[in-house]
Amino acid sequence: MDDSEIFQAIGEDGFERLVAAFYRQIPGDDLLGPMYPPDDLDGAEQRLRDFLVGRFGGPSRYIEQRGHPRLRMRHAPFVIDAAARNRWVELMSRALEETQLPREVELALRPFFEGVATMMMNARS
Ligand code: HEM
């Protein structure tokens, strides 16, 4: 499936459910929990959701509100080693299982998340 067809296939609702399922796991996660702003988890959830919606063919709210994503730069304040990268991918993988998106959407999103997560690494374990 083409990236730009994904929003058409799952809509706001699909991305909302996926990102909510991801963020539900964050506060209780020993590795990632402490990295995220405890008083602005809703904001963080919205930023990831808007980014994904725009990236996969939906409205470009993220760029309108935050500008160019520059994801590596925006992740520079956090120490992201292989363990943190793998944990992020694991939580997103669980969120994908829980959300039960169409199979071809899941098959396109998994390698995308894994690839971007690898690019975010900025520290050795
Ligand atoms: C590799 C492990 C990763 C870790 C530990 C991590 C951690 C974080 C943290 C702590 C934030 C700040 C939360 C906030 O206030 O917005 C953040 C923001 C964000 N992350 Fe990640 N992240 C990872 C991977 C990814 C991946 C794979 C993506 C995209 C597919 C992504 C997309 C974003 C976006 C869009 C933001 C909001 C940036 C902004 O506008 O400020 N992250 N991440």
Side-chain angles (χ1 to χ4, degrees):
M1 174 175 272
D2 206 62
D3 279 2
S4 62
E5 294 168 351
I6 291 182
F7 181 78
Q8 245 179 316
I10 66 171
E12 298 282 352
D13 174 70
F15 283 108
E16 187 174 334
R17 289 190 297 119
L18 176 65
V19 174
F22 175 82
Y23 270 98
R24 265 200 297 279
Q25 306 171 74
I26 287 291
D29 191 88
D30 59 336
L31 211 52
L32 302 189
M35 289 190 203
Y36 286 81
D39 52 353
D40 190 26
L41 266 190
D42 289 348
E45 184 173 329
Q46 187 189 335
R47 287 185 279 279
L48 179 58
R49 186 174 66 230
D50 285 353
F51 168 76
L52 294 173
V53 163
R55 173 66 180 72
F56 289 102
S60 46
R61 286 190 301 267
Y62 180 86
I63 289 189
E64 281 156 24
Q65 287 165 18
R66 308 283 294 166
H68 188 285
R70 297 169 193 267
L71 284 188
R72 242 191 91 82
M73 186 199 79
R74 292 195 206 263
H75 286 77
F78 315 112
V79 178
I80 306 183
D81 59 10
R85 180 262 177 213
N86 291 343
R87 182 66 63 82
W88 195 102
V89 169
E90 193 183 318
L91 298 194
M92 184 53 81
S93 179
R94 272 197 225 131
L96 280 164
E97 279 160 33
E98 185 182 326
T99 311
Q100 296 284 302
L101 299 172
R103 188 174 155 71
E104 62 274 22
V105 169
E106 192 175 328
L107 284 176
L109 290 181
R110 278 185 188 276
F112 167 78
F113 286 132
E114 286 171 17
V116 177
T118 299
M119 286 195 315
M120 292 309 126
M121 285 175 53
N122 55 24
R124 292 166 180 273
S125 297

